[in-house]
Amino acid sequence: MTDVTTLGEFIIEKQMDFPGSSGEFSRLLSAIRLASKIVSQQVNKAGLLSHIMGSAGAENVQGEQQQKLDVFANDQFIKALTKRKVVCGIASEENDDFIAINDSGSYIIAMDPLDGSSNIDVNVSIGTIFSIYKRITPEGTPVQKEDFLQKGTSQVAAGYVIYGSSTMMVYTTGHGVNGFTYDPGMGVFILSHPEMKIPQKGKIYSINEGNFYKSSTGVQEFIKYAQKIDPDTNRPYTGRYIGSLVADFHRNLIKGGLYMYPSTTSAPKGKLRLLYECNPLAFIVEQAGGKASDGKNRILDIQPTDLHQRVPYYVGSTEMVNKVEEFISNEDS
Ligand code: AHG
Ligand code: MN
Ligand code: MN
């Protein structure tokens, strides 16, 4: 055990990155770590537990079916963050409005507690995504909506947990990206992927191609470009789409690739949520040397106007994001 670094050790060591943070930020990350261990355990048992599997019978604010594990994960993260009094407020994809917690806290969190929930029942990787900001209203007063509507550039940390063939946590505090693999025997996350970097040129493209004819001509032309045979530019690219953003993103981060959820005729603003999904992964990808765009603008520069706002999303290897942006800008000319 001498050569390994646990997530707990890493958090304490890196607390120096946040002078004056008084340990509150470290305790916040520890609360996330705890909740993700509990969710990981339930995810691994999901096939056995009929009360966890399947629909909870309710719809969330966006009219989507909530799965029982969504509700469970949401509860676990809220509980861990509330009990430890480490945030003043939480915005969750699963709650209509933000939750005010502790007036004296200085951080807020936005989260997608269970991403890829349609994959739970079929034993495919799912995840949790989180994004942390300093509040902008004064400490000691109730948290306000404006504390959550900050640009992605203001994030102080962001991360995800992937519940896959093993459970991993990947996060950034703006000083690079590090990945930790969970050892269920020891009950600890161990630093397994230090200083992660995404390849500049990728070869994988990830999109729900069922939406081809619902997409703009620029996106359609890009897909045709990706499929074209051209050994000089390493094409055709490889198509990979899991339908769990976290899992698709994680693969592309490691191997190099592009994930796309464009606007479509049935979802004119795209499907993914700026606060809970796009901003945190945009922060991570930029810290790993990649790029995230809405097709025209940098994701992190978008001023949010609504908690559950959606945006078209293109994220991954810089050269691939540049290429799809080129096709999108050409469709206008
Ligand atoms: P969630 O389970 O949090 O609602 O997110 C689902 C998202 C994302 O994970 C995934 O990439 C995308 O929806 C898949 O959408 P399609 O089924 O339309 O391809
Ligand atoms: Mn999601
Ligand atoms: Mn979700």
Side-chain angles (χ1 to χ4, degrees), residues 168-234:
M168 269 190 80
M169 185 186 292
V170 174
Y171 81 100
T172 183
T173 56
H175 302 272
V177 180
N178 292 283
F180 300 81
T181 303
Y182 186 57
D183 181 329
M186 290 195 288
V188 290
F189 284 96
I190 289 167
L191 180 61
S192 52
H193 294 62
E195 292 167 32
M196 296 172 85
K197 289 285 169 215
I198 185 167
Q200 291 298 296
K201 289 180 203 280
K203 199 179 152 37
I204 297 171
Y205 74 106
S206 312
I207 185 169
N208 182 343
E209 272 186 75
N211 291 330
F212 184 86
Y213 291 105
K214 289 182 173 182
S215 307
S216 68
T217 52
V219 171
Q220 292 183 9
E221 289 306 316
F222 175 81
I223 293 171
K224 289 183 202 160
Y225 168 87
Q227 295 172 341
K228 204 163 177 201
I229 298 169
D230 179 26
D232 289 348
T233 52
N234 233 351

Side-chain angles (χ1 to χ4, degrees), residues 47-280:
L48 292 171
L49 299 174
S50 56
H51 69 277
I52 289 288
M53 276 185 75
S55 163
E59 286 189 347
N60 69 10
V61 63
Q62 285 134 45
E64 297 153 337
Q65 273 279 313
Q66 276 185 317
Q67 302 286 315
K68 280 182 184 165
L69 206 52
D70 293 31
V71 179
F72 178 82
N74 198 34
D75 289 351
Q76 290 306 318
F77 279 93
I78 292 172
K79 241 187 236 166
L81 294 162
T82 310
K83 264 197 169 171
R84 295 184 173 200
K85 296 193 171 170
V86 285
V87 287
C88 57
I90 303 171
S92 165
E93 183 203 271
E94 299 299 335
N95 296 96
D96 301 10
D97 209 350
F98 64 84
I99 305 165
I101 308 275
N102 171 32
D103 291 358
S104 60
S106 47
Y107 295 98
I108 66 104
I109 186 164
M111 63 174 185
D112 178 355
L114 214 293
D115 173 69
S117 44
S118 65
N119 279 323
I120 297 168
D121 290 356
V122 289
N123 219 343
V124 172
S125 299
I126 49 183
T128 296
I129 311 174
F130 60 91
S131 168
I132 301 167
Y133 295 80
K134 272 239 164 198
R135 68 185 301 176
I136 50 179
T137 54
E139 281 172 35
T141 64
V143 69
Q144 302 294 327
K145 194 169 174 184
E146 64 195 271
D147 291 315
F148 297 93
L149 299 182
Q150 299 186 52
K151 287 185 186 175
T153 45
S154 301
Q155 290 173 101
V156 294
Y160 62 84
V161 183
I162 176 167
Y163 311 103
S165 46
S166 51
T167 294
M168 269 190 80
M169 185 186 292
V170 174
Y171 81 100
T172 183
T173 56
H175 302 272
V177 180
N178 292 283
F180 300 81
T181 303
Y182 186 57
D183 181 329
M186 290 195 288
V188 290
F189 284 96
I190 289 167
L191 180 61
S192 52
H193 294 62
E195 292 167 32
M196 296 172 85
K197 289 285 169 215
I198 185 167
Q200 291 298 296
K201 289 180 203 280
K203 199 179 152 37
I204 297 171
Y205 74 106
S206 312
I207 185 169
N208 182 343
E209 272 186 75
N211 291 330
F212 184 86
Y213 291 105
K214 289 182 173 182
S215 307
S216 68
T217 52
V219 171
Q220 292 183 9
E221 289 306 316
F222 175 81
I223 293 171
K224 289 183 202 160
Y225 168 87
Q227 295 172 341
K228 204 163 177 201
I229 298 169
D230 179 26
D232 289 348
T233 52
N234 233 351
R235 284 178 293 151
Y237 297 150
T238 296
R240 289 282 185 276
Y241 190 72
I242 295 169
S244 287
L245 172 63
V246 166
D248 281 307
F249 177 87
H250 183 69
R251 180 202 52 242
N252 292 352
L253 177 65
I254 290 173
K255 296 197 165 181
L258 169 69
Y259 176 95
M260 299 177 271
Y261 211 110
S263 52
T264 63
T265 47
S266 48
K269 291 181 176 161
K271 178 180 184 190
L272 301 179
R273 298 83 168 169
L274 178 59
L275 265 61
Y276 315 117
E277 292 167 320
C278 304
N279 269 336

